[in-house]
Amino acid sequence: YNNYAWITDYSVQFHSCHTVSSFRPDGGDEDGDGYDSSPTEIQRLIRFRLCPTSDSDSSCSKKCKGGGDYLMEMREFLETYLEAKVVQDEYACEAVANNCDCENANDDDVCLSECYAEAGLENCEEEEEEWQVDRYLECENIVGDNDDGTQALYVGAYCKGSGVYLGAFTDRDCTVAADENAYYKAMGSTLPYQTTSLISSDGCFSCQEQQENNGNDDANDDANNDANDEDNVNEYCEELYERSAKCEKFISDASTVYPKTGGCDYIFKTLPQLEKITLGKNGGSSSLLTTIFMWVFLASTLMVGAYAYFLWSKLHRKEGINLNADDKGPSA
Protein backbone atom coordinates (compact mmCIF):
# COMPACT_ATOMS: atom_id res chain seq x y z
CA TYR A 1 0.00 0.00 0.00
CA ASN A 2 1.37 3.38 -1.07
CA ASN A 3 0.60 6.24 1.26
CA TYR A 4 0.71 9.41 -0.82
CA ALA A 5 -1.43 11.48 1.52
CA TRP A 6 1.48 13.78 2.44
CA ILE A 7 1.93 14.81 -1.22
CA THR A 8 -1.37 16.66 -1.18
CA ASP A 9 0.34 19.64 0.49
CA TYR A 10 3.00 19.83 -2.24
CA SER A 11 3.25 21.06 -5.82
CA VAL A 12 5.28 19.69 -8.73
CA GLN A 13 7.92 22.14 -9.91
CA PHE A 14 10.17 21.68 -12.94
CA HIS A 15 13.83 22.15 -12.06
CA SER A 16 16.10 21.27 -14.99
CA CYS A 17 16.65 19.21 -18.13
CA HIS A 18 19.68 16.93 -18.56
CA THR A 19 21.32 15.16 -21.49
CA VAL A 20 23.40 12.03 -20.97
CA SER A 21 24.70 9.25 -23.17
CA SER A 22 23.98 5.61 -22.45
CA PHE A 23 25.10 2.32 -24.00
CA ARG A 24 22.56 0.80 -26.36
CA PRO A 25 21.27 -2.68 -25.46
CA ASP A 26 21.96 -3.87 -29.04
CA GLY A 27 25.52 -2.57 -28.94
CA GLY A 28 24.88 -0.34 -31.95
CA ASP A 29 24.54 -3.25 -34.38
CA GLU A 30 22.25 -2.93 -37.35
CA ASP A 31 18.66 -2.74 -36.15
CA GLY A 32 16.97 -4.42 -39.09
CA ASP A 33 16.57 -1.41 -41.38
CA GLY A 34 20.15 -1.23 -42.60
CA TYR A 35 21.06 1.62 -40.30
CA ASP A 36 24.36 1.01 -38.53
CA SER A 37 23.95 2.88 -35.27
CA SER A 38 26.38 4.23 -32.73
CA PRO A 39 26.88 2.02 -29.65
CA THR A 40 25.57 4.89 -27.55
CA GLU A 41 22.29 6.79 -27.56
CA ILE A 42 21.21 10.09 -26.10
CA GLN A 43 18.97 10.01 -23.06
CA ARG A 44 17.21 13.14 -21.84
CA LEU A 45 16.09 13.37 -18.23
CA ILE A 46 14.02 15.83 -16.21
CA ARG A 47 14.76 16.77 -12.65
CA PHE A 48 11.72 18.06 -10.79
CA ARG A 49 10.79 18.87 -7.23
CA LEU A 50 7.90 18.44 -4.88
CA CYS A 51 7.71 21.82 -3.13
CA PRO A 52 5.47 22.81 -0.21
CA THR A 53 2.46 24.61 -1.65
CA SER A 54 2.08 28.20 -0.51
CA ASP A 55 -0.74 28.89 1.91
CA SER A 56 -1.68 32.09 0.06
CA ASP A 57 -2.08 30.63 -3.44
CA SER A 58 -1.50 27.54 -5.59
CA SER A 59 2.10 28.42 -6.46
CA CYS A 60 5.14 27.01 -4.75
CA SER A 61 8.22 28.60 -3.33
CA LYS A 62 10.97 29.29 -5.87
CA LYS A 63 13.56 28.17 -3.34
CA CYS A 64 11.54 25.04 -2.63
CA LYS A 65 12.69 24.85 0.98
CA GLY A 66 11.76 21.55 2.57
CA GLY A 67 11.07 19.87 -0.77
CA GLY A 68 12.20 16.66 -2.46
CA ASP A 69 14.16 16.07 -5.67
CA TYR A 70 13.17 13.60 -8.36
CA LEU A 71 14.41 12.42 -11.76
CA MET A 72 12.70 10.70 -14.67
CA GLU A 73 12.78 10.26 -18.45
CA MET A 74 11.95 13.49 -20.27
CA ARG A 75 9.12 12.29 -22.49
CA GLU A 76 7.26 10.64 -19.63
CA PHE A 77 7.56 13.76 -17.50
CA LEU A 78 6.47 16.16 -20.24
CA GLU A 79 3.46 14.06 -21.21
CA THR A 80 2.21 13.97 -17.64
CA TYR A 81 3.17 17.55 -16.74
CA LEU A 82 1.67 19.18 -19.83
CA GLU A 83 -1.57 17.25 -19.49
CA ALA A 84 -1.82 18.18 -15.81
CA LYS A 85 -1.25 21.86 -16.62
CA VAL A 86 -3.99 21.83 -19.26
CA VAL A 87 -6.49 20.27 -16.87
CA GLN A 88 -5.51 22.60 -14.03
CA ASP A 89 -5.72 25.68 -16.25
CA GLU A 90 -9.15 24.66 -17.56
CA TYR A 91 -10.33 24.14 -14.01
CA ALA A 92 -9.00 27.52 -12.85
CA CYS A 93 -10.47 29.38 -15.84
CA GLU A 94 -13.88 27.82 -15.37
CA ALA A 95 -13.86 28.57 -11.65
CA VAL A 96 -13.18 32.26 -12.35
CA ALA A 97 -15.87 32.36 -15.07
CA ASN A 98 -18.45 30.84 -12.74
CA ASN A 99 -17.73 33.45 -10.07
CA CYS A 100 -17.34 36.47 -12.34
CA ASP A 101 -20.29 38.85 -11.83
CA CYS A 102 -20.98 40.29 -15.26
CA GLU A 103 -24.76 40.54 -14.95
CA ASN A 104 -24.77 44.35 -15.08
CA ALA A 105 -21.73 44.75 -17.33
CA ASN A 106 -21.96 46.60 -20.63
CA ASP A 107 -19.83 43.99 -22.35
CA ASP A 108 -19.74 40.46 -20.99
CA ASP A 109 -16.54 39.54 -22.83
CA VAL A 110 -14.68 42.57 -21.49
CA CYS A 111 -15.97 41.87 -18.01
CA LEU A 112 -14.83 38.24 -18.17
CA SER A 113 -11.41 39.30 -19.46
CA GLU A 114 -11.03 41.61 -16.47
CA CYS A 115 -11.93 38.78 -14.12
CA TYR A 116 -9.28 36.55 -15.72
CA ALA A 117 -6.70 39.35 -15.46
CA GLU A 118 -7.48 39.95 -11.78
CA ALA A 119 -6.99 36.23 -11.13
CA GLY A 120 -3.64 36.28 -12.94
CA LEU A 121 -4.86 33.91 -15.67
CA GLU A 122 -3.51 34.67 -19.14
CA ASN A 123 -4.49 31.70 -21.29
CA CYS A 124 -8.20 31.36 -20.62
CA GLU A 125 -9.30 33.12 -23.81
CA GLU A 126 -6.72 31.63 -26.15
CA GLU A 127 -7.99 29.17 -28.71
CA GLU A 128 -6.79 25.62 -28.35
CA GLU A 129 -3.76 24.94 -30.51
CA GLU A 130 -4.19 22.35 -33.25
CA TRP A 131 -0.46 21.66 -33.37
CA GLN A 132 0.15 18.49 -31.38
CA VAL A 133 3.30 19.04 -29.37
CA ASP A 134 3.12 15.61 -27.74
CA ARG A 135 3.98 14.02 -31.09
CA TYR A 136 7.45 15.56 -30.97
CA LEU A 137 8.43 14.96 -27.38
CA GLU A 138 10.72 12.27 -28.74
CA CYS A 139 12.77 12.46 -31.92
CA GLU A 140 10.31 12.11 -34.81
CA ASN A 141 11.18 11.71 -38.48
CA ILE A 142 9.13 14.14 -40.58
CA VAL A 143 10.97 14.26 -43.92
CA GLY A 144 12.87 11.60 -45.84
CA ASP A 145 14.54 8.43 -44.67
CA ASN A 146 17.81 8.70 -46.65
CA ASP A 147 16.70 5.89 -48.97
CA ASP A 148 15.71 8.22 -51.81
CA GLY A 149 18.59 10.61 -51.35
CA THR A 150 16.46 13.15 -49.48
CA GLN A 151 18.07 14.73 -46.44
CA ALA A 152 16.28 13.26 -43.43
CA LEU A 153 14.75 15.76 -41.04
CA TYR A 154 13.74 15.05 -37.47
CA VAL A 155 11.92 17.13 -34.86
CA GLY A 156 12.22 16.55 -31.16
CA ALA A 157 12.39 18.09 -27.71
CA TYR A 158 15.83 18.77 -26.29
CA CYS A 159 17.51 20.44 -23.34
CA LYS A 160 18.91 23.94 -23.72
CA GLY A 161 19.99 25.93 -20.71
CA SER A 162 17.32 25.58 -18.06
CA GLY A 163 14.47 24.90 -20.49
CA VAL A 164 13.04 22.34 -22.91
CA TYR A 165 12.69 23.37 -26.54
CA LEU A 166 11.75 21.89 -29.91
CA GLY A 167 14.33 21.76 -32.67
CA ALA A 168 14.95 20.37 -36.16
CA PHE A 169 17.77 17.83 -36.57
CA THR A 170 19.35 15.61 -39.19
CA ASP A 171 19.89 12.48 -37.06
CA ARG A 172 17.52 10.11 -35.34
CA ASP A 173 18.85 10.97 -31.88
CA CYS A 174 18.11 14.67 -32.44
CA THR A 175 21.66 15.75 -31.63
CA VAL A 176 22.87 17.24 -34.95
CA ALA A 177 21.04 20.49 -35.61
CA ALA A 178 19.60 21.05 -39.09
CA ASP A 179 19.89 24.32 -40.99
CA GLU A 180 18.09 27.21 -39.35
CA ASN A 181 15.25 27.29 -41.91
CA ALA A 182 15.10 23.55 -42.58
CA TYR A 183 11.73 23.03 -40.92
CA TYR A 184 10.15 26.02 -42.65
CA LYS A 185 11.41 24.88 -46.06
CA ALA A 186 10.06 21.38 -45.49
CA MET A 187 6.72 22.18 -43.83
CA GLY A 188 5.95 25.75 -44.93
CA SER A 189 5.45 26.93 -41.36
CA THR A 190 7.50 27.92 -38.33
CA LEU A 191 8.34 25.30 -35.75
CA PRO A 192 6.88 26.39 -32.39
CA TYR A 193 8.76 26.34 -29.10
CA GLN A 194 12.12 27.05 -30.71
CA THR A 195 12.67 30.14 -28.57
CA THR A 196 10.05 29.60 -25.86
CA SER A 197 10.48 26.71 -23.45
CA LEU A 198 7.79 24.04 -23.36
CA ILE A 199 7.83 24.32 -19.61
CA SER A 200 8.56 27.23 -17.31
CA SER A 201 11.06 26.92 -14.48
CA ASP A 202 8.84 28.97 -12.17
CA GLY A 203 5.65 27.13 -13.04
CA CYS A 204 4.15 24.35 -10.96
CA PHE A 205 0.89 22.55 -10.39
CA SER A 206 -0.67 21.54 -7.13
CA CYS A 207 -0.93 17.91 -6.11
CA GLN A 208 -4.21 18.64 -4.34
CA GLU A 209 -7.00 16.61 -5.89
CA GLN A 210 -9.47 18.90 -7.65
CA GLN A 211 -13.07 18.89 -6.64
CA GLU A 212 -16.00 18.91 -9.04
CA ASN A 213 -16.33 22.25 -10.80
CA ASN A 214 -19.83 22.99 -12.03
CA GLY A 215 -19.91 23.99 -15.66
CA ASN A 216 -16.69 22.38 -16.85
CA ASP A 217 -17.49 18.90 -18.13
CA ASP A 218 -13.90 18.03 -19.05
CA ALA A 219 -12.53 19.12 -15.71
CA ASN A 220 -15.37 17.32 -13.94
CA ASP A 221 -14.60 14.05 -15.75
CA ASP A 222 -10.95 14.23 -14.69
CA ALA A 223 -11.87 15.17 -11.14
CA ASN A 224 -14.46 12.41 -10.83
CA ASN A 225 -12.10 9.77 -12.22
CA ASP A 226 -9.37 10.81 -9.81
CA ALA A 227 -11.75 11.15 -6.88
CA ASN A 228 -12.50 7.43 -6.98
CA ASP A 229 -9.36 6.72 -4.97
CA GLU A 230 -9.06 7.18 -1.22
CA ASP A 231 -6.39 9.88 -1.03
CA ASN A 232 -6.61 13.55 -1.92
CA VAL A 233 -3.63 13.49 -4.31
CA ASN A 234 -4.29 14.02 -8.00
CA GLU A 235 -3.38 11.24 -10.40
CA TYR A 236 -0.68 13.24 -12.20
CA CYS A 237 1.41 13.68 -9.07
CA GLU A 238 0.97 10.03 -8.21
CA GLU A 239 2.17 9.00 -11.67
CA LEU A 240 5.23 11.25 -11.57
CA TYR A 241 6.10 10.13 -8.06
CA GLU A 242 5.81 6.43 -8.81
CA ARG A 243 7.98 6.54 -11.94
CA SER A 244 10.84 8.71 -10.70
CA ALA A 245 14.14 8.29 -8.87
CA LYS A 246 13.79 9.95 -5.45
CA CYS A 247 15.90 11.98 -3.07
CA GLU A 248 13.84 13.07 -0.09
CA LYS A 249 16.54 13.79 2.44
CA PHE A 250 15.50 17.45 2.51
CA ILE A 251 11.77 16.79 2.95
CA SER A 252 10.65 18.64 6.06
CA ASP A 253 7.15 17.21 6.30
CA ALA A 254 6.95 15.16 9.48
CA SER A 255 4.22 12.99 7.95
CA THR A 256 6.79 11.43 5.61
CA VAL A 257 7.87 8.72 8.00
CA TYR A 258 10.14 6.89 5.57
CA PRO A 259 11.72 9.37 3.11
CA LYS A 260 13.25 7.70 0.07
CA THR A 261 16.91 8.55 -0.59
CA GLY A 262 18.00 5.84 -3.04
CA GLY A 263 18.31 8.33 -5.90
CA CYS A 264 20.35 10.98 -4.09
CA ASP A 265 23.79 9.88 -5.27
CA TYR A 266 22.70 9.57 -8.87
CA ILE A 267 20.86 12.92 -8.95
CA PHE A 268 23.52 14.99 -7.22
CA LYS A 269 26.77 13.15 -8.05
CA THR A 270 26.52 10.71 -10.96
CA LEU A 271 24.22 12.73 -13.23
CA PRO A 272 26.39 15.89 -13.31
CA GLN A 273 29.47 13.82 -14.18
CA LEU A 274 27.68 11.90 -16.93
CA GLU A 275 26.35 15.09 -18.43
CA LYS A 276 29.78 16.71 -18.30
CA ILE A 277 31.22 13.78 -20.25
CA THR A 278 28.35 13.74 -22.74
CA LEU A 279 28.29 17.44 -23.51
CA GLY A 280 31.91 18.31 -22.94
CA LYS A 281 33.36 21.06 -20.78
CA ASN A 282 31.72 23.81 -22.81
CA GLY A 283 28.32 22.22 -23.12
CA GLY A 284 28.92 21.24 -26.75
CA SER A 285 27.86 18.19 -28.69
CA SER A 286 28.21 14.57 -27.68
CA SER A 287 31.30 14.16 -29.87
CA LEU A 288 33.43 14.11 -26.72
CA LEU A 289 32.00 10.72 -25.84
CA THR A 290 33.07 9.38 -29.23
CA THR A 291 36.55 10.73 -28.57
CA ILE A 292 36.62 8.97 -25.21
CA PHE A 293 35.64 5.67 -26.81
CA MET A 294 38.37 6.19 -29.41
CA TRP A 295 41.02 6.71 -26.73
CA VAL A 296 39.76 3.70 -24.76
CA PHE A 297 39.97 1.60 -27.93
CA LEU A 298 43.45 2.92 -28.68
CA ALA A 299 44.65 2.28 -25.13
CA SER A 300 43.28 -1.28 -25.15
CA THR A 301 44.89 -1.91 -28.54
CA LEU A 302 48.25 -0.70 -27.24
CA MET A 303 47.91 -2.89 -24.17
CA VAL A 304 47.19 -5.96 -26.29
CA GLY A 305 50.10 -5.11 -28.55
CA ALA A 306 52.43 -4.64 -25.58
CA TYR A 307 51.36 -7.97 -24.10
CA ALA A 308 51.87 -9.71 -27.44
CA TYR A 309 55.35 -8.21 -27.65
CA PHE A 310 56.07 -9.38 -24.11
CA LEU A 311 55.10 -12.95 -24.99
CA TRP A 312 57.12 -12.83 -28.19
CA SER A 313 60.17 -11.53 -26.33
CA LYS A 314 59.83 -14.18 -23.67
CA LEU A 315 59.54 -16.91 -26.28
CA HIS A 316 62.47 -15.47 -28.23
CA ARG A 317 64.67 -15.45 -25.12
CA LYS A 318 63.74 -19.04 -24.37
CA GLU A 319 64.64 -20.12 -27.89
CA GLY A 320 67.94 -18.25 -27.57
CA ILE A 321 68.76 -20.09 -24.36
CA ASN A 322 68.03 -23.46 -25.98
CA LEU A 323 70.23 -22.62 -28.93
CA ASN A 324 73.09 -21.64 -26.64
CA ALA A 325 72.70 -24.88 -24.75
CA ASP A 326 72.97 -26.81 -28.02
CA ASP A 327 76.09 -24.90 -29.00
CA LYS A 328 77.73 -25.91 -25.70
CA GLY A 329 77.04 -29.57 -26.19
CA PRO A 330 79.63 -32.33 -25.37
CA SER A 331 82.77 -32.17 -27.53
CA ALA A 332 84.04 -35.17 -29.44
Side-chain angles (χ1 to χ4, degrees):
Y1 173 72
N2 295 318
N3 181 16
Y4 298 140
W6 64 273
I7 302 179
T8 191
D9 295 325
Y10 287 75
S11 293
V12 171
Q13 182 186 59
F14 167 77
H15 180 273
S16 52
C17 184
H18 302 272
T19 304
V20 298
S21 187
S22 59
F23 189 79
R24 291 182 52 170
D26 60 8
D29 199 2
E30 290 188 358
D31 50 14
D33 60 1
Y35 188 89
D36 189 13
S37 303
S38 166
T40 62
E41 60 184 0
I42 291 298
Q43 185 180 28
R44 296 179 173 93
L45 306 171
I46 294 292
R47 178 183 165 190
F48 69 95
R49 291 170 168 175
L50 283 180
C51 304
T53 303
S54 172
D55 294 333
S56 58
D57 51 44
S58 60
S59 65
C60 45
S61 171
K62 292 183 179 180
K63 294 183 179 180
C64 196
K65 185 176 181 180
D69 290 271
Y70 307 86
L71 188 74
M72 68 186 299
E73 195 271 333
M74 182 179 73
R75 179 186 176 91
E76 293 182 352
F77 176 85
L78 290 178
E79 285 179 337
T80 303
Y81 185 96
L82 295 176
E83 183 180 353
K85 287 291 291 182
V86 168
V87 172
Q88 181 172 278
D89 290 346
E90 288 177 350
Y91 184 90
C93 291
E94 192 64 31
V96 170
N98 289 339
N99 292 281
C100 184
D101 186 9
C102 296
E103 184 176 353
N104 298 321
N106 294 327
D107 189 320
D108 290 347
D109 291 336
V110 173
C111 175
L112 186 57
S113 296
E114 292 176 349
C115 287
Y116 288 144
E118 291 177 2
L121 301 175
E122 301 177 352
N123 303 322
C124 294
E125 297 175 294
E126 293 183 1
E127 295 183 1
E128 184 176 352
E129 296 182 11
E130 296 182 0
W131 204 85
Q132 298 178 340
V133 66
D134 58 329
R135 176 184 173 187
Y136 302 103
L137 296 183
E138 278 188 335
C139 205
E140 180 78 11
N141 177 239
I142 62 171
V143 175
D145 55 9
N146 287 329
D147 291 336
D148 58 358
T150 304
Q151 173 65 61
L153 188 65
Y154 297 82
V155 170
Y158 71 104
C159 306
K160 184 175 72 173
S162 59
V164 182
Y165 299 82
L166 292 183
F169 304 87
T170 59
D171 66 309
R172 61 174 57 192
D173 282 332
C174 283
T175 58
V176 181
D179 293 339
E180 184 177 353
N181 297 320
Y183 182 88
Y184 185 84
K185 292 178 180 178
M187 309 302 293
S189 60
T190 302
L191 179 65
Y193 299 106
Q194 292 186 91
T195 57
T196 303
S197 178
L198 281 164
I199 185 169
S200 173
S201 60
D202 59 356
C204 34
F205 68 86
S206 172
C207 290
Q208 174 71 49
E209 191 171 80
Q210 295 176 342
Q211 303 301 315
E212 184 174 342
N213 184 13
N214 293 329
N216 188 342
D217 293 336
D218 292 335
N220 286 341
D221 290 340
D222 290 314
N224 289 334
N225 291 335
D226 195 17
N228 290 330
D229 55 21
E230 297 180 356
D231 57 40
N232 291 319
V233 181
N234 70 54
E235 60 182 321
Y236 303 108
C237 288
E238 290 183 0
E239 183 174 349
L240 292 176
Y241 187 81
E242 289 176 350
R243 299 165 73 175
S244 63
K246 305 167 182 62
C247 180
E248 298 175 339
K249 63 181 179 180
F250 301 117
I251 287 281
S252 60
D253 197 323
S255 62
T256 310
V257 182
Y258 300 109
K260 297 177 174 60
T261 59
C264 293
D265 282 346
Y266 187 88
I267 294 174
F268 291 105
K269 296 180 181 179
T270 306
L271 179 62
Q273 294 300 320
L274 286 176
E275 189 166 39
K276 184 181 296 184
I277 293 174
T278 301
L279 300 180
K281 294 181 179 179
N282 297 322
S285 67
S286 59
S287 60
L288 178 63
L289 193 65
T290 304
T291 304
I292 292 175
F293 275 109
M294 180 187 71
W295 280 107
V296 170
F297 175 77
L298 178 60
S300 60
T301 302
L302 291 174
M303 291 175 64
V304 172
Y307 184 66
Y309 177 77
F310 168 76
L311 292 178
W312 177 85
S313 299
K314 185 176 182 180
L315 179 62
H316 185 71
R317 287 197 303 270
K318 184 176 181 181
E319 290 177 349
I321 293 173
N322 291 336
L323 288 174
N324 291 333
D326 292 339
D327 291 340
K328 296 178 181 180
S331 56

